[in-house]
Amino acid sequence: MTRKISIGNAPCSWGVIENVEGSRGGYAQVLDEMQETGYLGTELGDWGFMPTDPAVLAGELAARNLKLLSSWVSVKLHDADCHAASEADAVRTARQLATVGGPDCLIVLGNDPYMDPMRTFNAGRIRPDQGMSEAQWQVFAAGANRVARTVKRETGLRTVFHHHIGTWVETPAETARLLSMTDPDVLGLCFDTGHYRFGGGDPLTGLKRHADRIWHVHFKDHEPAVAARARQEGWGGVQAVGHGLFCELGKGDIDFPAILAQLRAMDYSGWIVVEQDVLPGMGSPKESARRNREYIRSIGL
């Protein structure tokens, strides 16, 4: 029997992006449009974007028949002095998730994006010599284990790590290394097709390689012409996103039918979350969300 996969979306598809300022609609508009375009669940978005009172948030989601799935939490795992604060932020968010969404929710850890100038500027073209030192890797992995173990102990929730452009874990090699250094009982992988592709990898290969650690999946397409221009012209990560690097599903170079077939072969059950990262005010998020949902329906979900 094929296990059930459900489809959600995330506020980043409406321009709610960490460390990127700009005008954007409020949470009510985002949730309304998510529900109207056919999604069943949502991620939380930046802390404070949605109501922080659990009862209020639960009511807003129930009114739209949306389930709370997970939440990105920005952490600074490369800096040991920030581990305690990262841990506290993750636990605060996990308590909200557990109360409102229940025990299957996930914390999505991502190192604070677009905050290191060198990694942000070189997103999509990171060389091995631009990575962390051995000592930095030890600090990073210890921080990831610490946060995930504390989240599990305090709230019962599991944690996944999100490889992400413009951070210290972007490339396939960096993703694999972090997984090799962390506790598979408490830390899984949030596999993002678009970030993996722009980070230099083949998403289908990555999906197969890390099948036993993938607990959460983000569907994000990748526009190859924009990616090529980003490399040729030396765009930074935010600039590439602003030029449409992460296009609507089915309009880039990621083979989503093959991705879906592999997920089913892995007996993946859980959520696929559409994340079409756009900058605040970019594009037409509701129309894109509708087309993205129609595309996923066309490939069998």
Side-chain angles (χ1 to χ4, degrees):
M1 185 178 95
T2 302
R3 298 174 73 182
K4 182 173 174 56
I5 297 174
S6 301
I7 308 299
N9 209 314
C12 63
S13 300
W14 278 260
V16 183
I17 301 260
E18 300 80 14
N19 301 322
V20 177
E21 295 299 323
S23 61
R24 54 206 187 190
Y27 79 87
Q29 176 187 342
V30 170
L31 294 179
D32 284 344
E33 294 183 357
M34 218 178 270
Q35 187 272 332
E36 290 164 9
T37 52
Y39 296 89
L40 301 177
T42 180
E43 296 196 350
L44 191 61
D46 294 356
W47 182 263
F49 174 67
M50 292 196 197
T52 54
D53 182 319
V56 174
L57 179 58
E60 295 283 1
L61 295 170
R64 299 166 175 86
N65 294 312
L66 290 170
K67 178 167 174 26
L68 184 61
L69 313 176
S70 53
S71 180
W72 170 281
V73 177
S74 286
V75 288
K76 295 181 175 67
L77 300 180
H78 61 291
D79 184 346
D81 291 340
C82 294
H83 285 182
S86 295
E87 179 183 62
D89 285 349
V91 169
R92 174 191 64 182
T93 303
R95 289 195 173 115
Q96 178 82 325
L97 293 175
T99 300
V100 177
D104 294 330
C105 284
L106 294 163
I107 286 290
V108 181
L109 286 189
N111 221 52
D112 213 13
Y114 309 128
M115 295 303 285
D116 181 89
M118 184 275 289
R119 295 288 297 205
T120 300
F121 177 73
N122 290 287
R125 50 187 187 276
I126 293 293
R127 303 186 310 267
D129 63 287
Q130 294 171 320
M132 288 186 281
S133 68
E134 181 61 36
Q136 288 171 318
W137 271 112
Q138 295 298 328
V139 167
F140 199 103
N145 280 328
R146 172 179 172 173
V147 172
R149 287 169 179 155
T150 303
V151 165
K152 182 72 171 176
R153 183 179 68 248
E154 296 292 325
T155 69
L157 298 191
R158 296 187 301 168
T159 297
V160 288
F161 187 86
H162 190 315
H163 54 98
H164 197 290
I165 67 169
T167 74
W168 285 105
V169 177
E170 171 180 319
T171 70
E174 290 168 342
T175 302
R177 180 160 192 192
L178 181 66
L179 291 177
S180 76
M181 297 176 71
T182 49
D183 184 351
D185 290 335
V186 295
L187 188 71
L189 183 66
C190 172
F191 190 82
D192 186 298
T193 55
H195 284 278
Y196 201 81
R197 180 76 182 90
F198 192 56
D202 171 63
L204 188 58
T205 300
L207 203 61
K208 293 175 180 177
R209 181 179 187 182
H210 302 302
D212 60 337
R213 295 288 289 275
I214 293 171
W215 302 344
H216 198 48
V217 174
H218 285 170
F219 265 21
K220 184 183 278 99
D221 213 339
H222 170 272
E223 217 299 328
V226 174
R229 278 195 68 197
R231 294 184 174 104
Q232 289 162 5
E233 301 187 26
W235 293 344
V238 176
Q239 194 176 2
V241 172
H243 280 87
L245 173 66
F246 298 128
C247 55
E248 292 181 6
L249 301 184
K251 296 185 177 179
D253 63 359
I254 292 178
D255 187 348
F256 286 105
I259 296 287
L260 179 56
Q262 177 60 26
L263 288 170
R264 285 176 165 155
M266 292 159 46
D267 205 20
Y268 177 80
S269 66
W271 289 83
I272 290 172
V273 176
V274 174
E275 283 203 344
Q276 187 187 346
D277 291 6
V278 294
L279 302 187
M282 231 181 108
S284 304
K286 181 179 181 180
E287 289 71 23
S288 290
R290 190 185 306 281
R291 286 189 288 268
N292 286 333
R293 187 65 190 93
E294 289 169 355
Y295 173 78
I296 294 175
R297 200 171 283 117
S298 78
I299 64 172
L301 276 178

